[in-house]
Amino acid sequence: MIVNKEQVMRFILEEKSQEIKFRFYSATTIGGLSKTELATYESIIPKGSTSATYEHRPDIQFNSLKLVESEWDDIAYFSLNNEMICKRSAFGEPMISRNDELFVQSIYKQAIEDEIKAEKNGREVVVSELTEKGAGSLMSDYATYWEQYKKEKNL
């Protein structure tokens, strides 16, 4: 599955409890002299944060979401807990998922996201009639979310 930057940004927000790493292509690759050469060091998004830092310069911190949004085409891969989750085969190629389930959004989360986008943009969202399976999936996703919320808040 081809992964876009919005899916990766959503993944970074949802997986804050785990370490995420990514690596850029080198300047020679971006300049057209190579297709696969990578930058020397990885960038790291530590557990519990959306701020990224460099492996070799932990004193430097930057907003990982803004970076992914602005430098998407120059990023070679993302890994979660040292396991590759998506990668480009070469510079200029699309980012391909290694595990599609990580980037597929549940019906419940998609409905919430659509609602928030609609509120932000001041427009109305028309929801088509749900099938029995769709409604069941929506409620199942909500129940999973509610159980996780109760655990996090110690309710």
Side-chain angles (χ1 to χ4, degrees), residues 91-155:
F91 183 73
E93 297 294 319
M95 187 78 73
I96 304 296
S97 166
R98 296 276 176 101
N99 182 353
D100 293 350
E101 291 178 15
L102 293 174
F103 299 100
V104 175
Q105 198 171 22
S106 70
I107 293 174
Y108 175 68
K109 287 182 179 178
Q110 183 64 49
I112 289 175
E113 183 175 313
D114 290 344
E115 181 67 27
I116 291 171
K117 283 180 183 176
E119 286 177 10
K120 186 176 180 180
N121 295 334
R123 58 189 176 92
E124 198 172 312
V125 175
V126 178
V127 179
S128 61
E129 285 192 36
L130 290 173
T131 63
E132 185 175 336
K133 182 179 178 183
S137 177
L138 188 66
M139 293 309 296
S140 173
D141 288 345
Y142 175 76
T144 303
Y145 158 79
W146 183 245
E147 288 302 316
Q148 184 179 8
Y149 179 82
K150 288 193 308 189
K151 284 180 186 174
E152 289 174 3
K153 302 297 181 184
N154 295 323
L155 298 177

Side-chain angles (χ1 to χ4, degrees), residues 56-122:
H56 66 295
R57 292 288 309 270
D59 55 313
I60 298 174
Q61 299 237 337
F62 48 91
N63 185 318
S64 63
L65 298 175
K66 287 183 180 179
L67 183 76
V68 168
E69 185 175 29
S70 64
E71 303 297 328
W72 173 249
D73 294 330
D74 300 339
I75 299 173
Y77 67 80
F78 287 88
S79 65
L80 177 69
N81 298 325
N82 295 319
E83 184 180 326
M84 188 79 59
I85 58 171
C86 60
K87 179 181 180 178
R88 295 180 200 276
S89 60
F91 183 73
E93 297 294 319
M95 187 78 73
I96 304 296
S97 166
R98 296 276 176 101
N99 182 353
D100 293 350
E101 291 178 15
L102 293 174
F103 299 100
V104 175
Q105 198 171 22
S106 70
I107 293 174
Y108 175 68
K109 287 182 179 178
Q110 183 64 49
I112 289 175
E113 183 175 313
D114 290 344
E115 181 67 27
I116 291 171
K117 283 180 183 176
E119 286 177 10
K120 186 176 180 180
N121 295 334

Side-chain angles (χ1 to χ4, degrees), residues 17-82:
S17 62
Q18 301 184 56
E19 182 178 78
I20 300 172
K21 294 183 179 182
F22 59 99
R23 186 171 287 187
F24 288 95
Y25 283 105
S26 69
T28 56
T29 301
I30 295 169
L33 301 175
S34 170
K35 287 296 265 176
T36 58
E37 185 180 324
L38 301 176
T40 307
Y41 299 102
E42 283 185 316
S43 298
I44 302 168
I45 305 170
K47 292 178 182 179
S49 175
T50 59
S51 292
T53 186
Y54 295 110
E55 188 175 55
H56 66 295
R57 292 288 309 270
D59 55 313
I60 298 174
Q61 299 237 337
F62 48 91
N63 185 318
S64 63
L65 298 175
K66 287 183 180 179
L67 183 76
V68 168
E69 185 175 29
S70 64
E71 303 297 328
W72 173 249
D73 294 330
D74 300 339
I75 299 173
Y77 67 80
F78 287 88
S79 65
L80 177 69
N81 298 325
N82 295 319

